[in-house]
Amino acid sequence: MDNKELIPMLNRDLADEHAAILRYIVHGYQEGEDTPIGASLLSRAREEMWHMHWLGMIIGQLGGEPDMKPAPYPFDPANRSTMFQSYVDYEKNLIPHYREEAGRVKDPHIRRVLEREAWESEVHAGKFSKILRKLTPGEASGKPGAEQKLPPEFLSSLQEIIKSKYTQMLQSIRNAWVFQKEAKTGWQVMDFSMTKMKQLAHVAEEVAANGINPMFKTDKLDLNASLAEALKKAAEDLHKTRMDHISLQAGSEIKKHAGLALNIELTVKQEEYEEAEIKEWIKDLK
Ligand SMILES: [Fe+2]
Ligand SMILES: [Fe+2]
């Protein structure tokens, strides 16, 4: 299989893994991180992040442009029982799918990654089946997510922050994959994308815990071919989200959410740190 065929194939898989991450994260947050069902979903989401990452690294190595748009994740939202059944079906479909792809690929690393995605999908199907079997009748017929308590204006500020941070995080993961040959900077960019995931989680969790879907939507990503340009944009972007966080801190509603307020304070400091670091890297590139 040549790269012309291989890259689009891997990009479709990347979009499927991305979809699975979002589905399990949103559902996990809605259940709550401190519940057994929520914790299990978040654990699956983390494994899907590896899956996505391996594919993204390969696409970057092959000189491809990773497709950062998630595929749809079909599921029946009627209740927990139908949701988990959908997850079992989704994961089961991936087993023959990845096996078939692995059979068509010559490169031993890519083949092993695809085979692993097959057997780990099988494990996921098994774990979701187990949850499904163990649901109490009340859990099975119920749905996750509490009643909406956040004032609409505050909620919409949080959603805007989620959207900007999600875009920023995807942008930085994309840059780390595409510029992985610039070993040191590529690695640093990946390090910062992990901070962004955490920052995104602080806000997305607050929104999802209120029974609302966090706005995991992106602005347009910047598909820059130059690392210097990408870093310049990353620093500007961090400045912008820091200002958004600072303006959230200035409002009165945030004072009623002590945990979130603390995390936003931390985020602002981290963003200032990262902006300063990135500006140093830009100097070093020259
Ligand atoms: Fe996966
Ligand atoms: Fe999976």
Side-chain angles (χ1 to χ4, degrees):
M1 194 186 296
D2 61 10
N3 286 359
K4 252 202 191 142
E5 204 184 334
L6 186 57
I7 293 170
M9 180 188 96
L10 296 172
N11 259 326
R12 284 191 295 275
D13 293 337
L14 188 79
D16 285 338
E17 295 299 325
H18 190 171
I21 297 170
L22 295 181
R23 174 81 301 265
Y24 306 153
I25 276 203
V26 171
H27 189 169
Y29 289 161
Q30 287 173 341
E31 297 285 357
E33 221 175 333
D34 52 354
T35 64
I37 296 179
S40 177
L41 281 158
L42 292 174
S43 180
R44 292 300 77 69
R46 281 192 284 273
E47 288 157 0
E48 306 299 7
M49 288 179 200
W50 305 343
H51 293 177
M52 187 178 174
H53 177 57
W54 301 331
L55 296 167
M57 284 297 282
I58 296 168
I59 294 166
Q61 273 156 23
L62 295 172
E65 179 59 49
D67 180 357
M68 303 307 277
K69 197 169 171 285
Y73 188 114
F75 72 103
D76 180 347
N79 54 47
R80 279 192 190 80
S81 171
T82 61
M83 289 168 97
F84 279 103
Q85 186 58 56
S86 305
Y87 304 166
V88 172
D89 297 342
Y90 185 87
E91 297 286 347
K92 275 191 176 163
N93 277 336
L94 288 177
I95 309 166
H97 167 83
Y98 278 124
R99 281 197 186 129
E100 185 274 329
E101 286 186 347
R104 289 194 284 136
V105 170
K106 284 230 165 52
D107 179 280
H109 168 66
I110 304 176
R111 203 181 56 234
R112 268 196 298 272
V113 163
L114 294 168
E115 278 164 359
R116 180 165 177 186
E117 307 234 355
W119 47 261
E120 291 197 357
S121 299
E122 194 166 10
V123 173
H124 289 180
K127 299 222 176 194
F128 288 137
S129 299
K130 194 172 161 208
I131 293 180
L132 191 56
R133 282 195 308 274
K134 285 171 68 178
L135 290 174
T136 63
E139 284 170 338
S141 60
K143 273 194 216 195
E147 248 169 60
Q148 225 280 83
K149 291 189 294 278
L150 298 175
E153 204 180 314
F154 184 66
L155 177 67
S156 84
S157 314
L158 296 185
Q159 292 284 43
E160 282 306 319
I161 284 180
I162 291 170
K163 186 178 169 209
S164 308
K165 190 53 78 175
Y166 177 60
T167 305
Q168 195 181 84
M169 179 205 62
L170 289 183
Q171 177 75 59
S172 108
I173 295 176
R174 176 265 173 201
N175 291 350
W177 288 337
V178 169
F179 299 116
Q180 62 184 280
K181 289 195 179 87
E182 316 272 348
K184 185 163 167 266
T185 315
W187 186 244
Q188 285 164 324
V189 172
M190 184 47 83
D191 178 357
F192 283 6
S193 56
M194 289 182 214
T195 335
K196 297 184 205 318
M197 274 180 225
K198 186 76 196 181
Q199 292 164 346
L200 178 63
H202 294 320
V203 186
E205 229 180 310
E206 184 84 20
V207 168
N210 276 268
I212 294 164
N213 272 333
M215 198 157 65
F216 288 133
K217 298 255 163 27
T218 53
D219 293 321
K220 216 168 153 21
L221 293 193
D222 183 25
L223 309 183
N224 225 305
S226 137
L227 178 59
E229 278 300 310
L231 290 179
K232 191 170 155 259
K233 168 100 186 352
E236 288 165 5
D237 218 34
L238 275 167
H239 186 79
K240 188 199 162 286
T241 49
R242 183 153 60 91
M243 292 305 127
D244 293 343
H245 285 124
I246 289 173
S247 86
L248 189 76
Q249 284 180 312
S252 56
E253 178 66 24
I254 188 88
K255 296 180 176 66
K256 298 177 198 153
H257 307 270
L260 181 65
L262 209 62
N263 284 327
I264 296 290
E265 198 185 320
L266 186 67
T267 298
V268 167
K269 284 187 188 155
Q270 290 168 341
E271 289 178 323
E272 195 176 358
Y273 170 95
E274 294 192 353
E275 190 187 333
E277 285 280 292
I278 293 175
K279 284 183 173 163
E280 289 284 326
W281 306 344
I282 298 172
K283 274 195 226 153
D284 291 346
L285 280 181
K286 285 173 191 157

